[in-house]
Short mmCIF file of all heavy atoms in Angstrom, two decimals:
data_model
loop_
_atom_site.label_atom_id
_atom_site.label_comp_id
_atom_site.label_asym_id
_atom_site.label_seq_id
_atom_site.Cartn_x
_atom_site.Cartn_y
_atom_site.Cartn_z
N ALA A 11 0.83 -1.20 0.01
CA ALA A 11 -0.01 0.00 0.01
C ALA A 11 0.88 1.25 0.01
O ALA A 11 1.80 1.37 0.76
CB ALA A 11 -0.90 0.00 1.23
N GLY A 12 0.56 2.17 -0.94
CA GLY A 12 1.31 3.41 -1.03
C GLY A 12 2.47 3.38 -1.98
O GLY A 12 3.07 4.40 -2.29
N LEU A 13 2.83 2.16 -2.46
CA LEU A 13 3.94 2.01 -3.40
C LEU A 13 3.39 1.84 -4.81
O LEU A 13 2.32 1.20 -5.02
CB LEU A 13 4.81 0.81 -3.05
CG LEU A 13 5.46 0.82 -1.66
CD1 LEU A 13 6.23 -0.47 -1.43
CD2 LEU A 13 6.36 2.01 -1.47
N PRO A 14 4.10 2.30 -5.83
CA PRO A 14 3.67 2.05 -7.23
C PRO A 14 3.85 0.56 -7.51
O PRO A 14 4.72 -0.10 -6.96
CB PRO A 14 4.62 2.91 -8.05
CG PRO A 14 5.86 3.05 -7.20
CD PRO A 14 5.35 3.11 -5.79
N ASP A 15 3.01 0.03 -8.39
CA ASP A 15 3.15 -1.36 -8.80
C ASP A 15 4.44 -1.55 -9.57
O ASP A 15 4.91 -0.64 -10.24
CB ASP A 15 1.96 -1.79 -9.67
CG ASP A 15 0.67 -1.93 -8.89
OD1 ASP A 15 0.74 -2.12 -7.67
OD2 ASP A 15 -0.40 -1.91 -9.51
N PRO A 16 5.01 -2.78 -9.51
CA PRO A 16 6.20 -3.03 -10.31
C PRO A 16 5.94 -2.83 -11.82
O PRO A 16 4.90 -3.24 -12.31
CB PRO A 16 6.51 -4.47 -10.03
CG PRO A 16 5.90 -4.78 -8.69
CD PRO A 16 4.65 -3.92 -8.71
N GLU A 17 6.88 -2.18 -12.45
CA GLU A 17 6.80 -2.08 -13.93
C GLU A 17 7.64 -3.16 -14.59
O GLU A 17 7.37 -3.59 -15.69
CB GLU A 17 7.28 -0.68 -14.36
CG GLU A 17 6.35 0.42 -13.95
CD GLU A 17 6.87 1.78 -14.43
OE1 GLU A 17 7.66 2.42 -13.69
OE2 GLU A 17 6.47 2.23 -15.51
N LEU A 18 8.73 -3.55 -13.93
CA LEU A 18 9.66 -4.54 -14.45
C LEU A 18 9.91 -5.59 -13.38
O LEU A 18 10.32 -5.24 -12.26
CB LEU A 18 10.98 -3.86 -14.86
CG LEU A 18 12.13 -4.80 -15.26
CD1 LEU A 18 11.77 -5.65 -16.46
CD2 LEU A 18 13.39 -3.97 -15.53
N VAL A 19 9.65 -6.85 -13.73
CA VAL A 19 9.93 -7.96 -12.83
C VAL A 19 11.08 -8.78 -13.47
O VAL A 19 10.94 -9.23 -14.62
CB VAL A 19 8.72 -8.87 -12.61
CG1 VAL A 19 9.07 -10.10 -11.75
CG2 VAL A 19 7.62 -8.07 -11.93
N ILE A 20 12.13 -8.95 -12.71
CA ILE A 20 13.30 -9.72 -13.19
C ILE A 20 13.34 -11.03 -12.43
O ILE A 20 13.30 -11.04 -11.19
CB ILE A 20 14.62 -8.94 -12.94
CG1 ILE A 20 14.59 -7.61 -13.70
CG2 ILE A 20 15.81 -9.77 -13.31
CD1 ILE A 20 15.68 -6.67 -13.34
N ARG A 21 13.41 -12.15 -13.17
CA ARG A 21 13.61 -13.42 -12.51
C ARG A 21 14.86 -14.09 -13.05
O ARG A 21 15.03 -14.23 -14.28
CB ARG A 21 12.42 -14.36 -12.71
CG ARG A 21 12.67 -15.73 -12.03
CD ARG A 21 11.43 -16.44 -11.64
NE ARG A 21 11.81 -17.57 -10.73
CZ ARG A 21 10.97 -18.23 -9.98
NH1 ARG A 21 9.69 -17.91 -9.96
NH2 ARG A 21 11.39 -19.22 -9.21
N THR A 22 15.74 -14.45 -12.15
CA THR A 22 16.99 -15.08 -12.53
C THR A 22 16.83 -16.60 -12.56
O THR A 22 15.84 -17.16 -12.14
CB THR A 22 18.12 -14.68 -11.58
OG1 THR A 22 17.73 -15.01 -10.22
CG2 THR A 22 18.39 -13.20 -11.67
N SER A 23 17.84 -17.26 -13.10
CA SER A 23 17.99 -18.74 -13.19
C SER A 23 17.09 -19.40 -14.20
O SER A 23 16.99 -20.62 -14.25
CB SER A 23 17.78 -19.39 -11.79
OG SER A 23 16.47 -19.63 -11.51
N GLY A 24 16.39 -18.60 -15.02
CA GLY A 24 15.65 -19.17 -16.15
C GLY A 24 14.27 -19.71 -15.81
O GLY A 24 13.59 -20.21 -16.71
N GLU A 25 13.83 -19.63 -14.59
CA GLU A 25 12.51 -20.16 -14.21
C GLU A 25 11.43 -19.26 -14.76
O GLU A 25 11.57 -18.03 -14.77
CB GLU A 25 12.40 -20.26 -12.70
CG GLU A 25 13.41 -21.17 -12.06
CD GLU A 25 13.27 -22.64 -12.46
OE1 GLU A 25 12.23 -23.00 -13.06
OE2 GLU A 25 14.17 -23.43 -12.16
N MET A 26 10.33 -19.88 -15.21
CA MET A 26 9.25 -19.13 -15.91
C MET A 26 7.96 -19.13 -15.10
O MET A 26 6.90 -19.50 -15.59
CB MET A 26 9.03 -19.75 -17.29
CG MET A 26 10.26 -19.86 -18.15
SD MET A 26 10.80 -18.27 -18.82
CE MET A 26 9.57 -18.05 -20.11
N ARG A 27 8.09 -18.76 -13.83
CA ARG A 27 6.87 -18.73 -12.98
C ARG A 27 7.02 -17.60 -11.95
O ARG A 27 8.10 -17.09 -11.72
CB ARG A 27 6.71 -20.08 -12.30
CG ARG A 27 7.89 -20.47 -11.43
CD ARG A 27 7.62 -21.83 -10.73
NE ARG A 27 8.74 -22.21 -9.94
CZ ARG A 27 9.80 -22.92 -10.39
NH1 ARG A 27 9.80 -23.29 -11.64
NH2 ARG A 27 10.78 -23.26 -9.61
N LEU A 28 5.88 -17.25 -11.33
CA LEU A 28 5.84 -16.19 -10.35
C LEU A 28 6.09 -16.68 -8.92
O LEU A 28 6.46 -15.87 -8.06
CB LEU A 28 4.48 -15.48 -10.40
CG LEU A 28 4.34 -14.37 -11.45
CD1 LEU A 28 2.91 -13.86 -11.48
CD2 LEU A 28 5.27 -13.20 -11.13
N SER A 29 5.87 -17.96 -8.69
CA SER A 29 6.13 -18.52 -7.36
C SER A 29 5.38 -17.79 -6.26
O SER A 29 5.95 -17.47 -5.20
CB SER A 29 7.63 -18.56 -7.07
OG SER A 29 8.30 -19.38 -7.98
N ASN A 30 4.10 -17.49 -6.50
CA ASN A 30 3.25 -16.89 -5.46
C ASN A 30 3.79 -15.54 -5.01
O ASN A 30 3.75 -15.19 -3.84
CB ASN A 30 3.13 -17.83 -4.26
CG ASN A 30 1.94 -17.49 -3.35
OD1 ASN A 30 1.01 -16.80 -3.76
ND2 ASN A 30 2.04 -17.95 -2.09
N TYR A 31 4.20 -14.71 -5.99
CA TYR A 31 4.83 -13.43 -5.69
C TYR A 31 4.06 -12.27 -6.30
O TYR A 31 3.88 -12.24 -7.52
CB TYR A 31 6.26 -13.43 -6.20
CG TYR A 31 7.03 -12.18 -5.90
CD1 TYR A 31 7.24 -11.74 -4.62
CD2 TYR A 31 7.61 -11.46 -6.93
CE1 TYR A 31 7.97 -10.59 -4.32
CE2 TYR A 31 8.35 -10.29 -6.66
CZ TYR A 31 8.54 -9.88 -5.37
OH TYR A 31 9.25 -8.73 -5.12
N LEU A 32 3.56 -11.38 -5.51
CA LEU A 32 2.93 -10.12 -5.96
C LEU A 32 1.90 -10.34 -7.06
O LEU A 32 1.88 -9.64 -8.06
CB LEU A 32 4.02 -9.12 -6.44
CG LEU A 32 5.05 -8.67 -5.40
CD1 LEU A 32 6.00 -7.68 -6.07
CD2 LEU A 32 4.41 -8.07 -4.17
N LEU A 33 1.04 -11.34 -6.86
CA LEU A 33 0.08 -11.71 -7.90
C LEU A 33 -0.83 -10.53 -8.30
O LEU A 33 -1.19 -10.39 -9.48
CB LEU A 33 -0.77 -12.90 -7.44
CG LEU A 33 0.01 -14.19 -7.16
CD1 LEU A 33 -0.94 -15.26 -6.66
CD2 LEU A 33 0.78 -14.63 -8.36
N TRP A 34 -1.23 -9.73 -7.33
CA TRP A 34 -2.06 -8.58 -7.63
C TRP A 34 -1.25 -7.48 -8.31
O TRP A 34 -1.67 -6.88 -9.31
CB TRP A 34 -2.71 -8.08 -6.34
CG TRP A 34 -3.51 -6.81 -6.47
CD1 TRP A 34 -3.06 -5.54 -6.56
CD2 TRP A 34 -4.93 -6.70 -6.53
NE1 TRP A 34 -4.10 -4.64 -6.67
CE2 TRP A 34 -5.27 -5.35 -6.67
CE3 TRP A 34 -5.96 -7.66 -6.49
CZ2 TRP A 34 -6.58 -4.90 -6.71
CZ3 TRP A 34 -7.28 -7.21 -6.56
CH2 TRP A 34 -7.58 -5.85 -6.70
N GLN A 35 -0.09 -7.16 -7.76
CA GLN A 35 0.67 -5.99 -8.13
C GLN A 35 1.31 -6.09 -9.53
O GLN A 35 1.59 -5.05 -10.15
CB GLN A 35 1.75 -5.74 -7.10
CG GLN A 35 1.24 -5.40 -5.69
CD GLN A 35 1.02 -6.64 -4.83
OE1 GLN A 35 0.85 -7.75 -5.34
NE2 GLN A 35 1.07 -6.43 -3.54
N VAL A 36 1.55 -7.29 -10.03
CA VAL A 36 2.29 -7.41 -11.31
C VAL A 36 1.34 -7.58 -12.49
O VAL A 36 1.77 -8.03 -13.58
CB VAL A 36 3.29 -8.56 -11.28
CG1 VAL A 36 4.34 -8.36 -10.16
CG2 VAL A 36 2.59 -9.95 -11.13
N ALA A 37 0.10 -7.20 -12.33
CA ALA A 37 -0.91 -7.38 -13.39
C ALA A 37 -0.44 -6.81 -14.73
O ALA A 37 -0.74 -7.39 -15.79
CB ALA A 37 -2.24 -6.75 -12.97
N TYR A 38 0.27 -5.69 -14.71
CA TYR A 38 0.71 -5.07 -15.97
C TYR A 38 2.23 -4.89 -16.01
O TYR A 38 2.73 -4.04 -16.76
CB TYR A 38 0.00 -3.74 -16.20
CG TYR A 38 -1.42 -3.92 -16.73
CD1 TYR A 38 -2.50 -3.81 -15.88
CD2 TYR A 38 -1.63 -4.27 -18.06
CE1 TYR A 38 -3.78 -3.99 -16.34
CE2 TYR A 38 -2.92 -4.49 -18.52
CZ TYR A 38 -3.99 -4.33 -17.67
OH TYR A 38 -5.25 -4.56 -18.13
N ALA A 39 2.93 -5.69 -15.23
CA ALA A 39 4.41 -5.60 -15.27
C ALA A 39 4.98 -6.27 -16.50
O ALA A 39 4.36 -7.20 -17.04
CB ALA A 39 4.98 -6.27 -14.00
N GLU A 40 6.13 -5.83 -16.90
CA GLU A 40 6.90 -6.50 -17.96
C GLU A 40 7.86 -7.49 -17.28
O GLU A 40 8.47 -7.17 -16.23
CB GLU A 40 7.69 -5.47 -18.76
CG GLU A 40 6.88 -4.48 -19.53
CD GLU A 40 6.08 -5.10 -20.65
OE1 GLU A 40 6.55 -6.12 -21.23
OE2 GLU A 40 4.96 -4.62 -20.95
N PHE A 41 8.02 -8.68 -17.86
CA PHE A 41 8.87 -9.69 -17.27
C PHE A 41 10.16 -9.83 -18.07
O PHE A 41 10.15 -9.77 -19.31
CB PHE A 41 8.14 -11.04 -17.24
CG PHE A 41 7.02 -11.06 -16.24
CD1 PHE A 41 5.77 -10.56 -16.53
CD2 PHE A 41 7.23 -11.56 -14.96
CE1 PHE A 41 4.75 -10.55 -15.61
CE2 PHE A 41 6.19 -11.56 -14.02
CZ PHE A 41 4.97 -11.06 -14.34
N TYR A 42 11.22 -9.99 -17.31
CA TYR A 42 12.55 -10.25 -17.93
C TYR A 42 13.14 -11.47 -17.25
O TYR A 42 13.41 -11.45 -16.07
CB TYR A 42 13.47 -9.03 -17.70
CG TYR A 42 14.86 -9.17 -18.30
CD1 TYR A 42 15.06 -8.84 -19.68
CD2 TYR A 42 15.92 -9.61 -17.55
CE1 TYR A 42 16.34 -8.96 -20.21
CE2 TYR A 42 17.19 -9.74 -18.11
CZ TYR A 42 17.39 -9.42 -19.44
OH TYR A 42 18.66 -9.55 -19.99
N ILE A 43 13.31 -12.52 -18.03
CA ILE A 43 13.81 -13.77 -17.53
C ILE A 43 15.24 -13.97 -18.05
O ILE A 43 15.51 -13.85 -19.27
CB ILE A 43 12.94 -15.00 -17.99
CG1 ILE A 43 11.47 -14.72 -17.69
CG2 ILE A 43 13.42 -16.26 -17.31
CD1 ILE A 43 11.14 -14.55 -16.25
N THR A 44 16.18 -14.28 -17.15
CA THR A 44 17.55 -14.52 -17.54
C THR A 44 18.00 -15.83 -16.96
O THR A 44 17.58 -16.24 -15.85
CB THR A 44 18.49 -13.40 -17.08
OG1 THR A 44 19.83 -13.76 -17.37
CG2 THR A 44 18.35 -13.14 -15.59
#
């Protein structure tokens, strides 16, 4: 509450899932997987 939603979500190690993380807040985030 009071923080802007993430615009960029970075996930390392190549995994392609959110793992129960910020499900509401990342509705319009861009994802970068490395």
Side-chain angles (χ1 to χ4, degrees):
L13 301 178
D15 288 339
E17 293 180 272
L18 172 61
V19 175
I20 299 169
R21 179 153 193 165
T22 55
S23 85
E25 301 293 348
M26 305 286 284
R27 58 180 179 271
L28 275 173
S29 298
N30 197 21
Y31 182 59
L32 299 182
L33 298 179
W34 176 281
Q35 296 89 337
V36 301
Y38 282 101
E40 297 292 329
F41 289 84
Y42 181 86
I43 310 297
T44 174

